[in-house]
């Protein structure tokens, strides 16, 4: 059964760096974009994504602080968010972005597999 | 890139129909049919219930339907059941290889 298992530190102080990792099991690592999405009382926010080749796309509002990396040998991908503040307190999910063919073009389409989420709290 | 606008909460009695709106702009919802909807029961992983506005993944009840008009997408749940009580989020491609989500709607079954 395909699943995403994620882990990382849950309590940070302001200015520290958030670091989370997501492992892909039971399915192919190729042919998808691997994403990070966070959930707060304001809703869901897409953070960014990476493919197997290491090509990344980031949310412009977070781009200066975000790094998403991938380790294909371990079928894992990771999120690093630097200089966190209380505003970064959220549940962070890893997710798989499925690509589909639309009018003959391979197109990123929807998030079809999600991790359970990791609560990250930022407090002094 | 602003979040898509959803009502904070919608409620209905068992058997009724409810509709959740998701309003974006001409740069996201209005420009692309890459609108998806997610159901989230707290403590569980979110689950996709629609993609490309109205395509339902296998296993999703036909009581759910999706549509779009202009800059607004909508999710309708017919024959509301207790198990439908959850948070619902819309998502749209926003161009430039970016995605935008909505603020979420809490559905309560009375």
């Amino acid at each position: 059964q395909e699943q995403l298992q994620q882990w990382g530190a849950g309590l940070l102080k302001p200015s520290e760096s958030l670091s989370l990792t997501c492992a892909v099991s039971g399915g192919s690592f190729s042919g998808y974009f691997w994403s990070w999405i966070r959930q707060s009382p304001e809703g869901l926010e897409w953070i960014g994504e990476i493919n197997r080749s290491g090509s990344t796309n980031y949310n412009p509002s977070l781009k200066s602080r975000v790094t998403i990396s991938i380790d294909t040998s371990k079928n894992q991908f990771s999120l690093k968010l630097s200089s966190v503040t209380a505003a970064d307190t959220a549940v962070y999910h890893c997710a798989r972005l499925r690509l589909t063919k639309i009018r003959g073009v391979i197109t990123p389409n929807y998030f079809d597999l999600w991790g359970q989420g990791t609560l990250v709290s930022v407090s002094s | 890139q602003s979040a898509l606008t959803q009502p904070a909460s919608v409620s209905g009695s068992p058997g009724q129909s409810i509709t959740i709106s998701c309003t974006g702009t001409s740069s996201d919802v209005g420009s692309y049919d890459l609108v998806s909807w997610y159901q989230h029961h707290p403590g569980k992983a979110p689950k996709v219930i629609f993609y490309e506005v109205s395509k339902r993944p296998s296993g999703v009840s036909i009581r759910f339907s999706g549509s779009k008009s202009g800059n607004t997408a909508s999710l309708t749940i017919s024959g509301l059941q207790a198990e439908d009580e959850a948070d619902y989020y819309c998502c749209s491609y926003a161009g430039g290889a970016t995605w935008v989500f909505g603020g979420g709607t809490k559905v309560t079954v009375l």
Side-chain angles (χ1 to χ4, degrees):
Chain A
Q1 183 180 358
E2 299 175 312
Q3 61 178 349
L4 302 179
Q5 277 192 296
Q6 56 183 105
W7 63 90
L11 184 59
L12 298 172
K13 293 184 179 348
S15 80
E16 291 184 335
S17 289
L18 176 159
S19 183
L20 298 173
T21 298
C22 184
V24 181
S25 62
S28 173
F29 202 52
S30 300
Y32 300 95
F33 268 91
W34 301 95
S35 309
W36 290 97
I37 296 162
R38 66 183 183 180
Q39 179 185 10
S40 69
E42 285 71 47
L44 292 176
E45 183 178 28
W46 176 77
I47 299 171
E49 63 194 21
I50 191 168
N51 66 5
R52 194 178 189 278
S53 302
S55 176
T56 55
N57 297 302
Y58 296 131
N59 186 323
S61 67
L62 297 169
K63 187 173 184 177
S64 63
R65 299 192 292 129
V66 173
T67 302
I68 297 176
S69 58
I70 197 164
D71 185 339
T72 55
S73 67
K74 295 182 179 179
N75 277 15
Q76 294 176 0
F77 61 106
S78 298
L79 168 69
K80 182 176 179 180
L81 181 66
S82 63
S83 305
V84 297
T85 69
D88 295 310
T89 293
V91 175
Y92 287 74
H93 294 273
C94 56
R96 185 175 72 182
L97 179 61
R98 177 172 285 271
L99 311 182
T100 62
K101 189 173 284 189
I102 300 177
R103 291 186 287 276
V105 179
I106 300 296
T107 304
N109 199 324
Y110 61 97
F111 302 94
D112 70 338
L113 185 66
W114 294 65
Q116 291 278 64
T118 299
L119 174 61
V120 176
S121 297
V122 181
S123 174
S124 55
Chain B
Q1 190 186 54
S2 300
L4 306 177
T5 301
Q6 299 181 232
S9 63
V10 174
S11 61
S13 300
Q16 286 187 328
S17 293
I18 61 169
T19 296
I20 303 168
S21 60
C22 168
T23 301
T25 69
S26 58
S27 298
D28 38 61
V29 175
S31 286
Y32 307 98
D33 284 338
L34 294 173
V35 175
S36 50
W37 287 89
Y38 302 87
Q39 178 190 60
H40 186 213
H41 289 102
K44 293 189 174 183
K47 170 188 170 185
V48 59
I49 56 173
F50 280 104
Y51 63 98
E52 291 179 49
V53 178
S54 59
K55 292 185 178 179
R56 200 185 299 111
S58 61
V60 174
S61 171
I62 60 172
R63 296 184 298 103
F64 292 84
S65 61
S67 62
K68 189 185 89 165
S69 177
N71 296 339
T72 299
S74 298
L75 169 68
T76 297
I77 308 175
S78 305
L80 198 62
Q81 299 181 0
E83 68 208 48
D84 301 331
E85 191 162 285
D87 297 320
Y88 292 82
Y89 296 90
C90 59
C91 174
S92 174
Y93 181 65
T98 65
W99 300 85
V100 62
F101 281 91
T105 299
K106 182 177 181 61
V107 169
T108 301
V109 181
L110 301 171

